[in-house]
Amino acid sequence: MNIIANSDSAYFPSTSQTTAKVRSSAVGPDVFRSLAILLVLLVHIPVEATPSLLVSVRTYAWLGVDIFFVLSGFLIGTQLFKEVSRTDGVGLKSFYLRRAFRIFPAFFVVLGLYAIFPVLRDAPTMQPIWSFATFTVNFDFDPRVGRAFSQAWSLCVEEHFYLVLPLLVLLLHRRISMAWTLAIAGAVVVRGMILRYTLWESQVGTLVEADKLRDAFSFYLRDVYALPIGAVFIVAALALFSIRGPLAGTNLFLVFQAQLGSVAGFPLISIGIALVLGAMLDLEHVLRRWPVPGAVTVATLSYSLYLTHKSVIHIDRLILGEKNLQGGFGFVVYLVTSFAVATVLWLCVERTFLLLRDRVLSPGQ
C-alpha cells in the first residue's frame, strides 16, 4: 500500500520550524492514513493473535490498501492541480525529486536488508531483487513464486501513478474541459469494471469451476485488483463483497472476490472512500475540536510500518515461537515491536532524508 508515502505530513508533532512547515494541515487525511495502516497490520498479524472483537474486522482489513490508493489520488492530485492553477505548469524535476527523497531511502534500506539477511524474509520465497528495485514486482505477480516483501506490490502501483499523473496533467490541463475530465474519469471506472468482468468470464471463473482455486487466486491477484452517500457506497460494496458465490466455503482470502464483488464492489468502495474523505475535509473545523488520539503519530509512522511490519512479525515468531504469541499477548507483542522498528526506521532514515530534502529543494520547488 503508500501508499503510504504519499504525503509530506509524515512528521511527528514538533516545535521544529521545518516539521511545522511540511506537516499536513488537514486532520481527515491523517485519520484515514492511520486507519489504513492499522488495517494493513491487522491483515498480517496471525489470526490466532487477533482479539475476538477484531476477527470480523480482519476479514475486510485488506481494504486498507484501497484507502491508501484513494489518499494518494487526493493528495498528489491536489498538489499538482494547485501548481497548475498557480503557475500554469508542472515542475517535473522538482516533483520527481521530492517523491524520490520521500520514498526511495527507506524503501531501499529495507530492500537491502531483505537481500543481505535472508532470515528477515517473511516467506521462504521472494521475487527477484531487481523487480523490487525497478518497482515492477507487481507485473506478473504470483504468490506461488514469491511472497516475501509482497506488500511492495502496492508501492509499485503508486510509483507508476506518480510517474504518469504529472505528465498527464502537464499535457492535458490546457486541452480538456472539466466536463471532459469527469467523462474520462467515468470512462476509466467503467473500463475497469468491464475489464474485471472479462477477466472473470474468460479466466478466473473457469479456474474456479475446475476447482483450481490456487491458480484462480494467483491469476486474480496478478491481473484484477459526501459523508452519508459515501457511507452508503461503502456499505453497498461490503454487501457485494459478502456474496461469495462459487467461492463460498472455500476459506480463501476475501480479497479474492466473486464476479459481482470484483466487478462492482471495488469501484463502489473507492468512490465511497473518496466521498467520505471529501466530507471529512469539509468537516475539518469539527474534527480539529475532536482529535483522534494517536492519529498523527500513527500516520507519521505509516510508511515505515508498511515497509517493515511483515518482517518484524516473522522475526517475533522466530524468536518467541508461534505458540507463545497467541491471544492478547501475541497481539501486543506484534504491535509494540512493529511500532518500535518503524520508529527507528523513521528517525534514522525517513526523517533524515526529509530534512535533507528541505535543505536541497527550496520551499517553492
Side-chain angles (χ1 to χ4, degrees):
M1 333 225 313
N2 152 323
I3 202 160
I4 303 173
N6 50 22
S7 170
D8 288 339
S9 64
Y11 275 89
F12 280 121
S14 168
T15 55
S16 161
Q17 206 170 30
T18 303
T19 299
K21 177 180 67 177
V22 297
R23 200 180 147 212
S24 170
S25 60
V27 176
D30 278 346
V31 171
F32 256 132
R33 191 178 297 106
S34 301
L35 174 63
I37 190 59
L38 291 175
L39 288 173
V40 170
L41 275 171
L42 188 61
V43 166
H44 295 131
I45 288 177
V47 67
E48 60 269 15
T50 303
S52 56
L53 291 175
L54 295 178
V55 170
S56 58
V57 176
R58 187 180 187 274
T59 304
Y60 293 95
W62 48 271
L63 290 172
V65 173
D66 294 78
I67 296 174
F68 276 128
F69 283 154
V70 172
L71 274 171
S72 287
F74 164 73
L75 293 165
I76 299 303
T78 299
Q79 176 184 329
L80 290 170
F81 293 138
K82 280 184 177 180
E83 184 176 357
V84 164
S85 65
R86 188 179 68 251
T87 66
D88 201 35
V90 174
L92 295 178
K93 179 181 177 181
S94 173
F95 177 84
Y96 291 132
L97 278 175
R98 295 186 72 85
R99 290 296 92 206
F101 270 107
R102 180 68 183 89
I103 295 167
F104 288 175
F107 174 76
F108 282 107
V109 165
V110 173
L111 180 62
L113 292 173
Y114 266 93
I116 297 170
F117 304 106
V119 70
L120 297 178
R121 299 178 185 178
D122 49 278
T125 56
M126 184 173 174
Q127 288 173 266
I129 296 297
W130 66 261
S131 65
F132 290 92
T134 56
F135 295 96
T136 55
V137 74
N138 59 320
F139 294 153
D140 200 32
F141 177 72
D142 190 338
R144 298 168 301 178
V145 175
R147 294 186 300 161
F149 204 24
S150 60
Q151 69 268 34
W153 76 267
S154 54
L155 178 59
C156 295
V157 172
E158 295 232 359
E159 283 299 290
H160 305 158
F161 173 70
Y162 296 152
L163 179 65
V164 172
L165 184 63
L167 299 176
L168 289 177
V169 171
L170 188 63
L171 290 172
L172 300 178
H173 80 278
R174 290 183 179 178
R175 294 175 173 82
I176 61 174
S177 64
M178 179 59 70
W180 271 107
T181 301
L182 294 174
I184 291 171
V188 169
V189 173
V190 173
R191 176 191 172 279
M193 296 174 69
I194 293 172
L195 176 62
R196 286 190 293 274
Y197 177 83
T198 303
L199 288 172
W200 183 276
E201 284 290 304
S202 62
Q203 299 285 342
V204 180
T206 303
L207 292 170
V208 170
E209 290 176 2
D211 205 31
K212 297 180 179 179
L213 297 178
R214 285 185 59 82
D215 292 337
F217 191 26
S218 172
F219 181 89
Y220 183 89
L221 284 180
R222 186 174 68 242
D223 295 325
V224 179
Y225 189 73
L227 189 59
I229 298 176
V232 168
F233 273 58
I234 292 173
V235 170
L238 294 177
L240 292 179
F241 291 150
S242 68
I243 302 173
R244 301 297 287 153
L247 303 178
T250 58
N251 201 31
L252 288 168
F253 192 30
L254 204 60
V255 71
F256 184 18
Q257 281 293 309
Q259 189 177 64
L260 186 58
S262 173
V263 173
F266 287 108
L268 280 176
I269 199 73
S270 298
I271 294 170
I273 292 168
L275 290 171
V276 172
L277 175 60
M280 292 179 73
L281 292 170
D282 284 338
L283 294 171
E284 181 70 14
H285 62 288
V286 176
L287 294 176
R288 286 196 172 280
R289 281 181 264 163
W290 300 92
V292 178
V296 172
T297 300
V298 176
T300 296
L301 294 174
S302 60
Y303 185 40
S304 290
L305 277 168
Y306 158 77
L307 291 173
T308 59
H309 72 278
K310 287 186 69 180
S311 181
V312 172
I313 290 171
H314 168 66
I315 295 299
D316 286 340
R317 300 176 84 178
L318 283 180
I319 294 175
L320 299 177
E322 294 180 38
K323 293 182 179 179
N324 298 320
L325 290 171
Q326 299 187 13
F329 174 74
F331 186 74
V332 171
V333 168
Y334 290 133
L335 280 184
V336 169
T337 52
S338 294
F339 272 88
V341 171
T343 300
V344 171
L345 181 62
W346 183 84
L347 288 171
C348 296
V349 181
E350 272 198 83
R351 183 175 183 273
T352 300
F353 278 89
L354 287 173
L355 291 170
L356 178 62
R357 180 192 68 180
D358 291 340
R359 292 178 183 175
V360 172
L361 300 176
S362 64
Q365 289 184 303

